[in-house]
Amino acid sequence: MSLVLHNFFRSSASVRVRAALNLKGLAYEHVSYVLRDRQHQSKGFLALNPQGLVPALQLEDGSVLGQSLAIIEYLDETHPEPPLLPSDLLDRAWVRSLAHAIACDIHPVNNLRVLQYLGGELGADEQSVGAWFRYWVDQGFPPLEKQLAGDVRRSQFCYGDAPGLADLCLFAQVANNRRFDVDMSRYPVLQNIYDNCLQLPAFVDALPENHPHAG
Ligand SMILES: N[C@@H](CCC(=O)N[C@@H](CS)C(=O)NCC(=O)O)C(=O)O
């Protein structure tokens, strides 16, 4: 059995894992879920991943892993080349801290179920939902921009000249920002890292619009 990625084309947590699999050169199959149709809440998917969130990666032995960062770190530990985290322990923690600033502090408040709750139960109109999304990005991105602008370890990517865990999270977030008209001119360092990711097929192939089941 090959690797199977349960995912949704537009999901940014899925984009992170797709790019990681691509960087590692690992082949995988897609099973796609349309989140707006609540396919990720189906009995079948909940049996695989009781958290009911995508992505989930089904391994060769049939076991299933949820949570994109756990999946990426598992892939990095089982397929160490190219590494997605630095070898130095302090630098590893630094890269994780950048990744978590996005994956733990920005992404969760802008997740589909949060936006749906705002637009549904709380009656927010489309404009307000967009403003909410931008507000939380604009809370999280300025400190990230400042941290990376002042860090000598940054080069083409968040850490050095090869992409890693933090770039996967940044790339997915910036790609998602496009849907909500986030003003990226405020974040030249982050935009530059995103642009550098776009030079690599591993990232381009992971974009929502290049997903085999996009639409
Ligand atoms: N912390 C999780 C987040 C996963 C997550 O929230 N995925 C979103 C798509 S990006 C999802 O499944 N949303 C479904 C929903 O909001 O109902 C991870 O990193 O994998």
Side-chain angles (χ1 to χ4, degrees), residues 12-13 16 67-70 73 95-111 113-114 136 140-141 144 165-166 169-170 173:
S12 64
R16 294 173 200 152
Q67 292 292 339
S68 62
L69 298 191
E73 292 220 19
V95 169
R96 285 190 179 111
S97 79
L98 299 172
H100 293 187
I102 296 168
C104 305
D105 295 338
I106 299 176
H107 175 270
V109 286
N110 280 341
N111 201 353
R113 59 187 173 180
V114 173
W136 292 111
F141 267 20
L144 211 51
L165 184 69
C169 294
L170 179 61
Q173 183 63 51

Side-chain angles (χ1 to χ4, degrees), residues 8 10-17 35-36 38 40-41 45 49 51-56 66-71 103-104 107-108 110-116 176:
F8 176 55
R10 208 185 271 145
S11 142
S12 64
S14 300
V15 169
R16 294 173 200 152
V17 174
L35 301 189
R36 288 201 183 275
R38 302 194 56 74
H40 58 304
Q41 295 298 319
F45 183 61
N49 180 15
Q51 291 180 2
L53 296 170
V54 291
Q67 292 292 339
S68 62
L69 298 191
I71 296 169
C104 305
H107 175 270
N110 280 341
N111 201 353
L112 180 65
R113 59 187 173 180
V114 173
L115 303 185
Q116 280 179 333
N176 204 16

Side-chain angles (χ1 to χ4, degrees), residues 67-78:
Q67 292 292 339
S68 62
L69 298 191
I71 296 169
I72 293 167
E73 292 220 19
Y74 172 81
L75 293 173
D76 203 36
E77 284 165 357
T78 52

Side-chain angles (χ1 to χ4, degrees), residues 98-178:
L98 299 172
H100 293 187
I102 296 168
C104 305
D105 295 338
I106 299 176
H107 175 270
V109 286
N110 280 341
N111 201 353
L112 180 65
R113 59 187 173 180
V114 173
L115 303 185
Q116 280 179 333
Y117 182 66
L118 284 171
E121 278 88 334
L122 299 186
D125 59 19
E126 209 181 311
Q127 220 181 348
S128 306
V129 172
W132 169 283
F133 185 99
R134 285 186 292 279
Y135 177 82
W136 292 111
V137 173
D138 288 332
Q139 288 293 304
F141 267 20
L144 211 51
E145 173 81 12
K146 197 171 168 189
Q147 282 179 295
L148 282 164
D151 189 67
V152 292
R153 293 163 291 186
R154 173 184 57 85
S155 183
Q156 283 189 67
F157 298 99
C158 292
Y159 179 89
D161 284 320
L165 184 69
D167 304 289
L168 294 167
C169 294
L170 179 61
F171 179 78
Q173 183 63 51
V174 176
N176 204 16
N177 289 352
R178 298 175 302 172

